[in-house]
């Protein structure tokens, strides 16, 4: 059973989208995050995720999807809602296993990869070799999922930008 607050928030989200259709390209980022369970348990994440998927279908918008550290639970939550041909989208920052990847690809989803997918040679090869080129999206997800010096993929990076830790930046601004 949904609360008034839940209905009000979803109504407001729909209103924002409808009044800004000229600039809204997708609905999201929405999904499940197993790394943030202390802040929001799966049951709440799943309830809102289902409602956001239903809203995207009604608004005929693709989804920008988030699946972190939840494995097949993400697929099991999304699967029953995905029967409609009206739904499409991308699972961004994908780092799941082969079972999850196969399930998402069979649903017709695109897969977004960033520095997180290329930490090891094994994960890089698995990701690149399994995802069809027409369903592969390369992304930065900056500044969180960068390619770091100790990553397998760092050897292929041709352009580097200097980075500064947040604490150092604050200190420099105060000087």
């Amino acid at each position: 059973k949904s609360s008034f607050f839940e209905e009000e928030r979803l109504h407001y989200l729909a209103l924002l989208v409808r009044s800004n259709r000229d600039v809204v390209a997708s609905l999201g980022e929405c999904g499940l995050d197993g790394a943030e369970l202390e802040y929001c348990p799966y049951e709440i994440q799943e309830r809102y995720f289902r409602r956001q998927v239903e809203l995207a279908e009604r608004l005929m918008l693709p989804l920008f999807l988030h699946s972190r550290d939840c494995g097949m639970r993400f697929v099991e939550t999304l699967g029953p809602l995905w029967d409609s041909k009206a739904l499409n989208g991308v699972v961004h920052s994908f780092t799941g296993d082969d079972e999850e990847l196969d399930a998402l690809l069979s649903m017709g989803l695109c897969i977004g990869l960033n520095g997180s997918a290329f930490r090891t040679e094994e994960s890089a090869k698995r990701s690149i070799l399994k995802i069809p080129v027409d369903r592969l999206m390369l992304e930065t997800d900056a500044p969180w999922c960068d390619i770091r010096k100790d990553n397998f993929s760092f050897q292929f990076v041709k352009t580097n930008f200097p980075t500064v830790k947040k604490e150092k930046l604050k200190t420099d601004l105060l000087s």
Side-chain angles (χ1 to χ4, degrees):
K1 183 179 172 187
S2 62
S3 68
F4 174 75
F5 176 78
E6 182 177 332
E7 293 303 319
E8 179 183 4
R9 292 292 159 220
L10 288 166
H11 176 75
Y12 181 67
L13 180 58
L15 182 64
L16 277 174
V17 169
R18 288 185 177 115
S19 60
N20 293 283
R21 278 313 281 246
D22 58 327
V23 294
V24 175
S26 67
L27 189 68
E29 174 175 343
C30 55
L32 301 179
D33 196 325
E36 301 294 340
L37 295 175
E38 66 184 277
Y39 304 107
C40 187
Y42 273 133
E43 295 73 28
I44 293 171
Q45 291 184 45
E46 288 167 337
R47 184 172 74 233
Y48 281 90
F49 180 35
R50 285 186 198 99
R51 298 295 305 275
Q52 291 163 338
V53 171
E54 292 165 357
L55 182 60
E57 184 175 20
R58 277 198 318 272
L59 297 170
M60 297 187 313
L61 281 172
L63 284 153
F64 191 69
L65 298 163
H66 178 90
S67 172
R68 181 169 66 162
D69 296 342
C70 57
M72 290 301 289
R73 189 171 190 143
F74 176 80
V75 172
E76 291 160 2
T77 303
L78 183 60
L81 304 168
W82 205 257
D83 289 336
S84 168
K85 298 296 180 202
L87 290 168
N88 60 62
V90 59
V91 180
H92 105 100
S93 194
F94 183 78
T95 58
D97 63 17
D98 285 346
E99 181 184 20
E100 185 181 3
L101 179 59
D102 291 341
L104 296 170
L105 289 171
S106 73
M107 294 165 72
L109 286 159
C110 293
I111 307 295
L113 300 178
N114 57 39
S116 297
F118 304 109
R119 301 265 189 252
T120 67
E121 184 174 4
E122 178 187 336
S123 66
K125 284 181 178 177
R126 180 187 57 83
S127 298
I128 293 298
L129 294 175
K130 286 199 91 165
I131 302 170
V133 173
D134 64 337
R135 306 263 288 291
L136 173 64
M137 295 185 177
L138 299 177
E139 57 179 275
T140 64
D141 201 19
W144 298 278
C145 299
D146 57 335
I147 295 174
R148 299 172 186 154
K149 289 181 182 178
D150 62 343
N151 293 165
F152 164 74
S153 56
F154 187 78
Q155 63 189 311
F156 304 109
V157 175
K158 302 295 182 205
T159 305
N160 292 294
F161 300 96
T163 58
V164 178
K165 291 207 179 278
K166 194 185 300 186
E167 297 80 27
K168 172 90 169 108
L169 183 61
K170 286 180 186 176
T171 304
D172 289 349
L173 289 175
L174 297 174
S175 303

